[in-house]
Amino acid sequence: MGDLTAQVLWALLSGDSLLSSDAFPSIPSTTVKAALDRLASRGMVVYQTIDREEVVLTDEGTTIAEEGSHEAKVFEAVRKTLEGLRIVDLPGIVGKESAKVGSGKAFKEGWIKKEKDLLVANTDSIADVTREQLQTIQNTRTYPDAKAIAELRKRKLVVMQKVISFRISKGSKYAKELVKEETDLTAEMLASGSWKNLKFKPYNFKALGANTLSGALHPLNKVRHEFRQIFFEMGFTEMPTNRFVETGFWNFDALFVPQQHPARDLQDTFYISDPAVADKPRADPKPAHLAPKSSGARAEEDPLDYEGYWENVREVHESGKYGSIGYRYPWNPEEALRLVLRTHTTAVSTVMLHKLAADPRPARYFSIDRVFRNESVDATHLAEFHQVEGVIADFGLALGGLIGFMEAFFAKMGVHNLRFKPAYNPYTEPSMEIFGWHEGLGKWVEIGNSGMFRPEMLEPMGLPKDMRVYGWGLSLERPTMIKYGVRNIRELLGHKVDLNFVESNPAVRLEKE
């Protein structure tokens, strides 16, 4: 660093300005900038950053510039044989790569032609344009024909490389040498009086402090926190969502989703291979620290009838029940016991509603957690994402109440203009898609799904006939992407997430009323 600052000052001695790429071609731009910053802070130089792109040869391009192009090698090999060259012999003469790439190019240029199984020269001489272009680029780092550069890039013979250089000029305090500046005033300097002849480095009050290493919340966690606060403000209880793996019974059958439904196909759902199936529905075992201490103590009985629930679900599918004709197909118990990565958190809502049947009462539940779908990954879809879900159970609920609640719920996020469109869902009827007006996009966008759970789902649990349940859901990723201006979901969740983005993103505040 010290040597480079001296070199810069001496290089400016004979002129008022210079270009760093000419004066210091072998020194990295970062090193040059560090030296210039040091000199500029003292007013000894001023500089201007110049960004430009240069064309640089790849290893293959360098070889062609020295030895000739693949097509030229093929032509020379064919030209040397007076009676023609056998096609099978070409790779042994010019190499497999040159034979593969060069023969097609030579045919296209009209340099050679095929006669039966022989290659014959079609001209006496050629101009190896590719080699000439690469030699020009090697010497000048550029080429005047943009189409030629595009073709060479397509053939992976050149790449574009960003180059940073600096236009350096003398500053108001320019000098031939950099005088050492003291940073500390010591007792020895005061005692000897030497401080009078020394130059001290001035304080830089604009300098930024060192970055403090600390953790950072992911944008999804920030938006998730806002959603949780909205739910808590509206009197909801959070559901436990720690089971990523569910049986087909809880994920599909209990929701009145038929076993032939496309959502249960392998192309839509991830099935577990080991173990492939689970037990029939039963109460979860209690942790060891909550189990009765004495062997003679009687375990607390679970008031829920899981076997009866299982049979009710089977009957409502096979032959109908509770006023429904069902789907009228042979329900397969083995299909219901297959283990899957849950495709929606409604599986969790089903478990909670079944527990509610032991003591039916008004209740409000919500969950925000990860779900899994066997989908093709692109800019807006992942095989895993987060679902926000809300459930309200009460007596005498009606569709108008659901619409009113949705308007109040989304108003807390700053979304005031809603539209509702009729939709189909196996476990809700009526069902509605929710659309909100997006000011930035200037159009209506789908922001969620909602509906009232069907009697075929609720009554097998043991819930009263007059109890109704609202359900709605939306993804966590979509509002997060809109809030932070993320266009590709893979930049928000997964291995492509930029940690700098996570550390530097601002706090989120949904527009609450």
Side-chain angles (χ1 to χ4, degrees):
M1 175 72 73
D3 292 338
L4 184 56
T5 54
Q7 291 178 43
V8 172
L9 295 175
W10 275 99
L12 284 171
L13 187 62
S14 58
D16 291 332
S17 66
L18 57 86
L19 195 62
S20 64
S21 57
D22 296 334
F24 315 107
S26 61
I27 300 178
S29 60
T30 52
T31 304
V32 174
K33 186 178 187 307
L36 294 179
D37 285 340
R38 186 181 181 195
L39 293 172
S41 66
R42 293 163 172 78
M44 302 182 74
V45 301
V46 291
Y47 69 91
Q48 178 184 4
T49 304
I50 302 172
D51 293 341
R52 70 178 190 279
E53 278 195 330
E54 290 185 348
V55 190
V56 181
L57 303 190
T58 62
D59 292 341
E60 183 181 0
T62 303
T63 302
I64 290 176
E66 296 172 354
E67 302 175 2
S69 65
H70 299 302
E71 54 269 27
K73 290 179 181 179
V74 170
F75 172 76
E76 288 299 324
V78 173
R79 187 183 63 82
K80 289 179 182 178
T81 57
L82 299 178
E83 298 179 355
L85 178 65
R86 292 174 57 196
I87 297 175
V88 294
D89 295 336
L90 182 61
I93 298 174
V94 300
K96 290 183 179 180
E97 184 67 20
S98 292
K100 179 181 177 182
V101 178
S103 57
K105 188 73 174 174
F107 274 120
K108 183 178 179 181
E109 296 290 339
W111 296 348
I112 61 175
K113 60 183 178 180
K114 183 179 178 183
E115 293 182 357
K116 296 182 180 180
D117 62 341
L118 297 177
L119 297 175
V120 180
N122 206 26
T123 184
D124 295 330
S125 62
I126 62 166
D128 193 351
V129 178
T130 302
R131 183 181 187 183
E132 293 172 358
Q133 292 172 339
L134 292 174
Q135 288 175 337
T136 300
I137 291 171
Q138 192 174 40
N139 295 328
T140 64
R141 297 295 184 97
T142 187
Y143 197 76
D145 189 349
K147 290 185 177 180
I149 293 177
E151 179 63 24
L152 293 173
R153 290 181 66 186
K154 186 178 179 181
R155 295 179 63 181
K156 297 182 180 180
L157 301 180
V158 300
V159 293
M160 303 304 294
Q161 180 175 291
K162 185 177 180 181
V163 177
I164 300 175
S165 58
F166 306 95
R167 172 70 63 182
I168 311 169
S169 304
K170 292 179 180 178
S172 58
K173 297 181 181 179
Y174 171 77
K176 291 188 296 183
E177 295 180 358
L178 179 64
V179 179
K180 181 183 178 183
E181 293 180 329
E182 300 293 339
T183 57
D184 296 310
L185 180 64
T186 64
E188 289 77 8
M189 294 177 185
L190 294 172
S192 63
S194 61
W195 63 272
K196 299 177 182 179
N197 301 319
L198 297 176
K199 185 175 179 62
F200 289 89
K201 184 177 181 180
Y203 283 107
N204 182 5
F205 293 103
K206 296 181 180 180
L208 299 176
N211 289 330
T212 303
L213 296 177
S214 62
L217 288 176
H218 192 281
L220 283 172
N221 281 340
K222 293 182 179 181
V223 177
R224 179 179 182 271
H225 173 75
E226 288 294 306
F227 272 110
R228 293 181 77 239
Q229 294 306 114
I230 290 174
F231 278 115
F232 288 140
E233 288 173 7
M234 302 183 80
F236 283 76
T237 300
E238 190 166 15
M239 296 184 280
T241 56
N242 56 333
R243 294 197 302 203
F244 287 177
V245 178
E246 290 282 5
T247 61
F249 178 83
W250 290 113
N251 200 77
F252 297 117
D253 295 272
L255 275 69
F256 199 53
V257 178
Q259 294 184 340
Q260 299 83 9
H261 196 278
R264 302 179 75 152
D265 293 342
L266 286 172
Q267 61 264 30
D268 292 312
T269 300
F270 290 110
Y271 285 89
I272 307 299
S273 59
D274 185 18
V277 296
D279 298 335
K280 292 171 68 174
R282 55 175 171 78
D284 291 334
K286 286 191 175 182
H289 67 281
L290 296 179
K293 294 183 179 180
S294 61
S295 58
R298 185 176 178 180
E300 182 181 349
E301 294 184 0
D302 194 316
L304 298 173
D305 182 7
Y306 288 94
E307 186 61 35
Y309 183 33
W310 172 272
E311 287 300 317
N312 289 340
V313 170
R314 180 187 63 78
E315 289 181 33
V316 81
H317 277 256
E318 278 193 344
S319 55
K321 201 174 182 182
Y322 312 107
S324 170
I325 62 172
Y327 290 116
R328 292 175 289 182
Y329 70 94
W331 187 73
N332 184 2
E334 294 180 359
E335 180 69 21
L337 296 179
R338 293 181 67 184
L339 288 171
V340 301
L341 288 178
R342 67 180 180 210
T343 60
H344 48 195
T345 51
T346 315
V348 180
S349 302
T350 308
V351 174
M352 294 301 294
L353 290 173
H354 180 233
K355 292 180 178 179
L356 184 66
D359 181 19
R361 65 193 186 282
R364 295 185 173 196
Y365 300 124
F366 83 94
S367 64
I368 308 173
D369 212 335
R370 194 167 295 194
V371 296
F372 308 86
R373 305 274 177 86
N374 192 2
E375 293 187 356
S376 299
V377 176
D378 57 29
T380 57
H381 295 85
L382 287 177
E384 54 181 310
F385 58 95
H386 294 80
Q387 181 175 338
V388 180
E389 179 160 336
V391 171
I392 297 178
D394 207 339
F395 298 94
L397 297 179
L399 183 63
L402 174 60
I403 293 175
F405 183 83
M406 288 295 94
E407 291 174 342
F409 177 77
F410 283 100
K412 288 184 173 289
M413 299 179 224
V415 181
H416 301 280
N417 200 359
L418 297 182
R419 281 183 179 176
F420 300 89
K421 176 184 175 183
Y424 168 75
N425 200 312
Y427 46 89
T428 57
E429 180 60 38
S431 306
M432 300 182 300
E433 292 176 347
I434 308 169
F435 292 82
W437 178 257
H438 193 292
E439 293 290 346
L441 298 177
K443 65 178 183 179
W444 295 92
V445 295
E446 183 181 352
I447 57 176
N449 257 296
S450 65
M452 299 182 68
F453 287 130
R454 296 177 65 108
E456 294 95 332
M457 173 185 167
L458 301 177
E459 292 190 34
M461 300 175 179
L463 289 170
K465 285 182 177 293
D466 57 345
M467 175 166 272
R468 303 286 183 265
V469 180
Y470 296 152
W472 73 95
L474 63 151
S475 77
L476 182 65
E477 280 75 7
R478 175 168 291 184
T480 306
M481 290 173 70
I482 293 173
K483 201 72 180 176
Y484 286 98
V486 178
R487 294 184 176 273
N488 191 327
I489 193 172
R490 289 169 288 193
E491 297 173 1
L492 184 67
L493 183 64
H495 66 283
K496 292 186 177 181
V497 174
D498 184 359
L499 294 181
N500 290 324
F501 165 68
V502 174
E503 293 172 356
S504 61
N505 65 73
V508 66
R509 182 71 175 174
L510 297 178
E511 299 173 16
K512 299 179 181 179
E513 288 189 336

